[in-house]
Amino acid sequence: MIDPVLASFTLISVFVVLLILGTPIGLCIVISSTATILMALDFNLAMFATAQKMFSSLDSFALLAVPFFILSGVIMNNGGIATRLVNFAKLFTGRVPGSLSYTNIAGNMMFGAVSGSAIAASTSIGGVMIPMSAKEGYNRNFASAVNIASAPTGMLIPPTTAFILYALASGGTSIAALFAGGLVAGSLWGIGCMVVTYFVAKKNNYRVFFPLQKGVAAKVTKDALPSLLLVVIVVGGIVQGIFTAIEASAVAVVYTAYLTLGLYKTLTLKDLPNIFTQTFVMTGVIMFLLATSSAMSFSMSITSIPAALSELILGISDNPLVIMLVVTVFLLVVGAFMDIGPAILIFTPILLPIVKQVGVDPVHFGILMVFNLAIGTITPPVGSGLYVGASVGKVKVEDVIKPLVPFYIAIFIVLLLITYLPNLTLFLPKLLGVM
C-alpha cells in the first residue's frame, strides 16, 4: 500500500520542479503523473496504463463541442466584432461618470461571451478602450486594471469551454444548467467591477461623455445585435431542447461564419486557413491537457490521494460552510498557479465527491469552481490575464496591482455571495427547467 502523503509529495514536487524549469504544463502533468504511478506499478505496466488512460480519455463524443466552440470564438476574434460591441456598450454607459471604464467592462462581458476567451476580450476590447481612456485623462494604471479585472467574465458567460470541460470531468452535469448559472455569475462579476468603477470615477472626476447623434443608436444596435444573438441562440437552443450542446457548437460555427463572411464581410475566404490553424493549435493544446490530466487523475486514484484529501478536508469540520471555505481557498491557490483547463480536469473528480457529501449541488459547484479558477487568471504569480492585460495597457504589472486591489475585493465579495447563497446562481437554471 502506497503512502498517500508520500505519493502526494512526489506528484507535487516533480510537477513544481518541472514547472520552474520552464517545462510546458502538459509535460509537467504527464511526467509527474508517471513518476507517481511508478510508485505503485512496475515500469511496463505503468507505461501501458498511462498511455491507455490518456487515449481513452479522448474517446468521448461530447468532446466534439470543444473544437467547434473554439472555432466559433476564433472566427469572432478575427472578425472585427470588438468595435461594434464597444459602440453598443456606449449606448448604456455614455452619460455616466467614468463612462469609458463602464464601456470597457460591458465590452469585455459581451465580447467574452461571444468569443469565450478572457485573453481575447482583454486584448480586443482593452486595445481599443485603454488608449482612449488615457487620452481623455484617465489614469492609465486604473484603465488597465478595469480591463484586467473584467476580462475573465467571458469565462463564465456562455458559451464557454470551461463548463463543457467541467461537465465531462464531473460525469455528465447539465451543460444547459451550467451555462444558465454561469450567465448569472459572470454578470454579477461585471456588476461588482462597475460598483468599484463608480466610486473611483466619482473620486477622480472621470466625466467623459459620449455624445450620441440622432439616429446613431439605432445603427449601433443594428450592427451589434447579430453578434449578441449568438449567446441567445446557443443557450436558448440548448435550454429549449432544440439541439444538444454538441449540435449548438456546430450551430455557433455556422452562425459566426455567416456574420463575418456574409453579413459584416470582415473576413474573406483567404482568412480561413489562418483561422483553422489557430483552431487546430488551440484544440490540440486542450486535448493534450485533457489526456495528461486523465493520467494525473489515474495516478492519484491508484495511490489513494483523493481519499486522503477527502479525509483531511472533512476532518477539519463537518460544517458545510467551513468545508466550502476550505475548498474555495484551495481553488484560489490552484488558480494562481495553474491554467483553468487542466485545473478543472484534475480537481473536479477529487473535490466534487467531497462537496456532494455536505449537500452541494454539482451545478453550483461547477459555477464556483470556474469562478474561483477564473480569479486565478488575474492574480500573481502565474495569472496569464494579469500579464496580458498589463501588456495591452503598456504598464508594469507591479504598477497595476494597487488599482486592482478594490476590484479583487469586489470580486471576492461576489464569490462569497454565490458560494453561500446558491440560489443567486441556481434560480435561473431552475426557472428555465434545466435542473
Side-chain angles (χ1 to χ4, degrees):
M1 180 70 179
I2 303 300
D3 183 1
V5 175
L6 179 60
S8 301
F9 176 77
T10 302
L11 183 68
I12 295 171
S13 58
V14 173
F15 180 86
V16 171
V17 169
L18 291 172
L19 200 61
I20 292 173
L21 293 175
T23 308
I25 191 167
L27 294 179
C28 292
I29 293 172
V30 72
I31 293 172
S32 60
S33 301
T34 304
T36 307
I37 293 171
L38 285 170
M39 298 177 66
L41 305 174
D42 65 66
F43 181 81
N44 290 332
L45 186 56
M47 294 300 102
F48 175 78
T50 302
Q52 185 183 49
K53 287 293 179 181
M54 290 178 65
F55 278 99
S56 63
S57 67
L58 301 180
D59 185 18
S60 171
F61 183 69
L63 280 177
L64 282 175
V66 175
F68 280 122
F69 274 130
I70 291 174
L71 177 56
S72 67
V74 172
I75 292 173
M76 281 289 197
N77 296 345
N78 288 271
I81 306 300
T83 302
R84 289 178 171 82
L85 296 180
V86 166
N87 290 335
F88 183 67
K90 290 177 184 178
L91 298 180
F92 304 94
T93 63
R95 303 298 298 177
V96 296
S99 56
L100 292 172
S101 296
Y102 287 114
T103 301
N104 195 333
I105 296 169
N108 275 341
M109 292 172 70
M110 290 186 290
F111 192 79
V114 298
S115 70
S117 170
I119 299 300
S122 179
T123 53
S124 300
I125 303 298
V128 174
M129 296 308 304
I130 294 175
M132 187 184 299
S133 300
K135 183 179 178 180
E136 295 295 343
Y138 286 55
N139 180 282
R140 196 175 190 94
N141 292 332
F142 170 70
S144 300
V146 169
N147 184 52
I148 292 168
S150 58
T153 54
M155 304 174 79
L156 288 156
I157 301 175
T160 170
T161 56
F163 286 132
I164 296 173
L165 293 177
Y166 173 81
L168 291 169
S170 63
T173 303
S174 168
I175 294 176
L178 290 167
F179 276 6
L183 178 61
V184 177
S187 299
L188 290 173
W189 182 319
I191 291 170
C193 291
M194 289 181 179
V195 171
V196 174
T197 296
Y198 169 80
F199 289 106
V200 176
K202 188 175 181 180
K203 178 182 177 182
N204 293 280
N205 198 31
Y206 293 147
R207 292 186 171 273
V208 178
F209 295 143
F210 296 110
L212 294 177
Q213 300 175 355
K214 186 177 180 180
V216 170
K219 183 180 184 304
V220 167
T221 302
K222 181 181 178 182
D223 285 344
L225 279 185
S227 300
L228 295 175
L229 277 176
L230 173 65
V231 179
V232 178
I233 291 171
V234 170
V235 178
I238 295 174
V239 169
Q240 294 298 319
I242 299 173
F243 38 68
T244 66
I246 299 170
E247 293 165 343
S249 65
V251 170
V253 172
V254 173
Y255 186 71
T256 53
Y258 162 72
L259 288 183
T260 53
L261 292 170
L263 184 63
Y264 295 149
K265 300 187 185 301
T266 49
L267 293 177
T268 65
L269 293 178
K270 293 181 180 179
D271 297 313
L272 293 183
N274 180 51
I275 288 173
F276 289 140
T277 300
Q278 292 180 49
T279 303
F280 295 153
V281 170
M282 294 174 68
T283 301
V285 169
I286 290 178
M287 293 301 179
F288 183 65
L289 287 174
L290 175 62
T292 56
S293 297
S294 69
M296 180 170 279
S297 296
F298 175 65
S299 72
M300 290 179 174
S301 65
I302 66 170
T303 52
S304 302
I305 292 176
L309 182 61
S310 175
E311 184 178 344
L312 175 64
I313 293 177
L314 293 173
I316 296 173
S317 172
D318 57 0
N319 188 323
L321 300 180
V322 176
I323 296 297
M324 288 307 298
L325 181 61
V326 172
V327 171
T328 293
V329 172
F330 176 77
L331 287 173
L332 288 172
V333 174
V334 168
F337 291 92
M338 186 179 290
D339 287 338
I340 189 169
I344 290 172
L345 295 168
I346 292 170
F347 293 106
T348 297
I350 298 173
L351 297 176
L352 182 58
I354 297 174
V355 298
K356 285 174 72 174
Q357 288 187 53
V358 293
V360 177
D361 186 273
V363 174
H364 183 215
F365 181 67
I367 296 165
L368 292 178
M369 186 174 213
V370 174
F371 199 106
N372 276 284
L373 296 174
I375 293 175
T377 65
I378 58 172
T379 55
V382 181
S384 57
L386 175 62
Y387 296 102
V388 170
S391 176
V392 171
K394 297 180 180 179
V395 296
K396 296 180 180 178
V397 172
E398 54 267 30
D399 292 335
V400 82
I401 293 296
K402 184 177 179 180
L404 268 173
V405 170
F407 289 101
Y408 286 146
I409 294 173
I411 293 167
F412 286 138
I413 290 173
V414 173
L415 172 60
L416 291 175
L417 287 174
I418 66 173
T419 298
Y420 294 113
L421 298 174
N423 282 331
L424 271 179
T425 50
L426 297 184
F427 85 89
L428 186 58
K430 291 177 180 177
L431 182 66
L432 296 174
V434 291
M435 69 170 293

